[in-house]
Amino acid sequence: MSQTPHISELFRVFGRIGLLSFGGPAAQIGLMHQELVERRPWLKEKEFLGALSFCMLLPGPEAMQLATFCGWKLRGTLGGIIAGTLFVLPGAALIFCLAAGYATYGNLPLVSAAFVGVKAAVVAIILQALIGLSRKVLTNNINMLIAAISFVALYSDTLAFPVVILLAGIFGLVFQGSDSTPALEDQPAQTPNPLSYSFKAIFIWGALWAIPVVLLLRQGGFLSDVALFFSKLAIVSFGGAYALLAYMVQTVVQDFGWLSTDQMMDALGLAETTPGPLILVTQFVATLSGALQGGPWLALAAGVTALWCTFIPCFLWIFAGAPHVARILSSPRLNHALRSIAAAVFGVILNLSVWFMLNLLFEQTQTTAFGALPVLSSFDWRAGFLCAATILALLTLRLPLLATLFISASTAAILGAM
């Protein structure tokens, strides 16, 4: 039987989860299951799985939203705020330190050489994510076709990331929603008036999200671009940080010119070393961009703005939808739309993987109607060796992620000094 914990216990347990949540969504969800279902009689198995299914329907980082929902289930809105904030806070503090260190020392020759190893590890990490995702989403010919079309549309720059996600969702709603799915058993409502609760949550959290953005837009300049861009990401962020990164690269590197391609790859590699959701890479990108644009104070302001525009919407989605979880999960059309979006996300991440590999392995690429193609004579053998080694370490030897990153960066530094 589930129990209601004291607020102090909630702080202690979710603080522990936030500090130990390395290794990406799968490891983080496993840690929460262990702490909230197995070790303590706080949530039942069915409650936890229902919460996870709901969070997978939402844009944004599913593990952070799962923590928020579990906190809400245990202690209402205050519990959700405590759980979600503590899940993000340790990683966010570390990201600020890493961004400051990277802005100061990232151009040193030895550090630059080491980051070739970090980039190689990132390629292996994304390939590992692709393999895991393929087993879940490429389950039929239609999903394979959606994934292939998404990849081609993005790689050839025919469609933008938000359009691909939107079209996939519409396809799932319209063409795959005719069959029926068994409804989940009704769950008891957490509030006497769920609709009123949802409207209140939309008003409060929508205002908290919108007011700083509107103020920055009126001011104009770099911070207004940060606020608007990361708010847009919060709405279309299905599929997690890997899916978003390709869209971020296009906007941050090509449209705004804030960072280089190499710096974006380094950002993802460093974000992999921190606890908390991988989508904290948005904070790193904004902080580093601010440092390059105007120094430490602009860096801090940009990082805080990115954090706010990334995670305040997560609280909005959870608190507005939480009282209606059973009804949402019993909708066949929504489930089919989610499957189509997941298939499109596979194509998005495949595009990101190919793009990363080309930029790492070849010093020169050429633009064609079908997308970027490598100049074969510009192949970098050091990067190729490091990619092969990290893929072997992660996918075959199954070494821990942090150990793989450390070994790859150390090896790259040694090769760079030769």
Side-chain angles (χ1 to χ4, degrees):
M1 181 177 179
S2 57
Q3 295 180 358
T4 302
H6 191 270
I7 288 293
S8 61
E9 289 183 282
L10 214 63
F11 268 103
R12 180 174 58 82
V13 172
F14 280 100
R16 171 183 165 81
I17 290 171
L19 287 168
L20 298 179
S21 56
F22 292 91
Q28 292 159 358
I29 291 166
L31 175 63
M32 275 186 272
H33 184 273
Q34 186 181 60
E35 294 285 346
L36 305 178
V37 179
E38 296 175 12
R39 290 187 176 179
R40 297 166 185 85
W42 286 3
L43 292 175
K44 298 175 184 175
E45 185 77 21
K46 184 189 289 187
E47 290 176 317
F48 186 86
L49 294 178
L52 177 58
S53 299
F54 169 60
C55 293
M56 290 177 67
L57 285 167
L58 303 173
E62 63 193 46
M64 179 269 177
Q65 290 175 155
L66 177 61
T68 305
F69 184 90
C70 290
W72 176 86
K73 191 87 174 170
L74 294 167
R75 292 294 306 222
T77 301
L78 178 60
I81 293 171
I82 292 170
T85 303
L86 290 177
F87 188 78
V88 171
L89 214 52
L94 189 52
I95 285 286
F96 275 124
C97 298
L98 290 173
Y102 184 86
T104 305
Y105 302 109
N107 289 326
L108 294 177
L110 187 63
V111 176
S112 298
F115 270 105
V116 175
V118 172
K119 295 182 184 77
V122 167
V123 169
I125 290 164
I126 296 175
L127 284 176
Q128 186 180 48
L130 269 177
I131 293 169
L133 188 61
S134 68
R135 298 190 186 105
K136 297 177 183 177
V137 302
L138 301 184
T139 54
N140 55 55
N141 292 334
I142 291 177
N143 283 3
M144 290 181 187
L145 182 63
I146 292 172
I149 292 172
S150 300
F151 169 74
V152 172
L154 288 167
Y155 194 73
S156 62
D157 204 21
T158 305
L159 295 175
F161 169 73
V163 177
V164 169
I165 296 298
L166 177 64
L167 291 178
I170 292 172
F171 178 85
L173 283 172
V174 174
F175 295 103
Q176 292 187 297
S178 58
D179 63 335
S180 59
T181 337
L184 297 180
E185 294 180 16
D186 289 337
Q187 297 176 4
Q190 290 277 331
T191 56
N193 191 338
L195 200 57
S196 172
Y197 179 91
S198 295
F199 278 125
K200 189 182 295 184
I202 291 169
F203 176 77
I204 293 172
W205 292 95
L208 283 172
W209 179 11
I211 289 172
V213 174
V214 170
L215 291 176
L216 289 172
L217 287 176
R218 291 186 63 184
Q219 176 185 327
F222 171 70
L223 287 179
S224 68
D225 290 336
V226 170
L228 189 60
F229 174 59
F230 288 107
S231 292
K232 188 191 301 183
L233 280 186
I235 298 170
V236 299
S237 56
F238 294 93
Y242 295 124
L244 277 185
L245 204 65
Y247 180 45
M248 283 177 62
V249 167
Q250 180 183 358
T251 306
V252 170
V253 176
Q254 298 176 16
D255 298 344
F256 290 133
W258 292 342
L259 300 179
S260 68
T261 299
D262 284 345
Q263 287 169 329
M264 287 295 298
M265 295 175 74
D266 294 341
L268 183 60
L270 287 173
E272 291 277 8
T273 68
T274 64
L278 182 56
I279 209 167
L280 282 170
V281 68
T282 58
Q283 176 202 352
F284 187 98
V285 167
T287 304
L288 182 59
S289 300
L292 298 177
Q293 293 277 328
W297 288 111
L298 188 60
L300 181 62
V304 170
T305 301
L307 275 175
W308 190 266
C309 295
T310 299
F311 292 106
I312 291 297
C314 296
F315 290 110
L316 169 58
W317 314 142
I318 291 295
F319 294 143
H324 314 282
V325 167
R327 187 163 60 253
I328 290 170
L329 293 180
S330 65
S331 167
R333 287 186 177 274
L334 279 178
N335 279 285
H336 283 301
L338 178 64
R339 290 175 200 162
S340 294
I341 288 172
V345 163
F346 182 89
V348 172
I349 299 176
L350 180 60
N351 170 60
L352 174 67
S353 177
V354 172
W355 180 85
F356 263 9
M357 271 196 183
L358 284 180
N359 281 276
L360 178 62
L361 297 178
F362 299 91
E363 295 178 5
Q364 298 175 27
T365 59
Q366 53 188 349
T367 304
T368 70
F370 304 102
L373 292 176
V375 176
L376 298 179
S377 60
S378 67
F379 179 75
D380 184 340
W381 70 268
R382 290 183 179 86
F385 169 76
L386 290 166
C387 270
T390 53
I391 289 170
L392 176 69
L394 271 182
L395 302 184
T396 304
L397 302 179
R398 300 189 182 277
L399 294 182
L401 173 60
L402 291 179
T404 302
L405 278 165
F406 176 77
I407 293 169
S408 184
S410 303
T411 305
I414 294 169
L415 290 174
M418 291 172 59

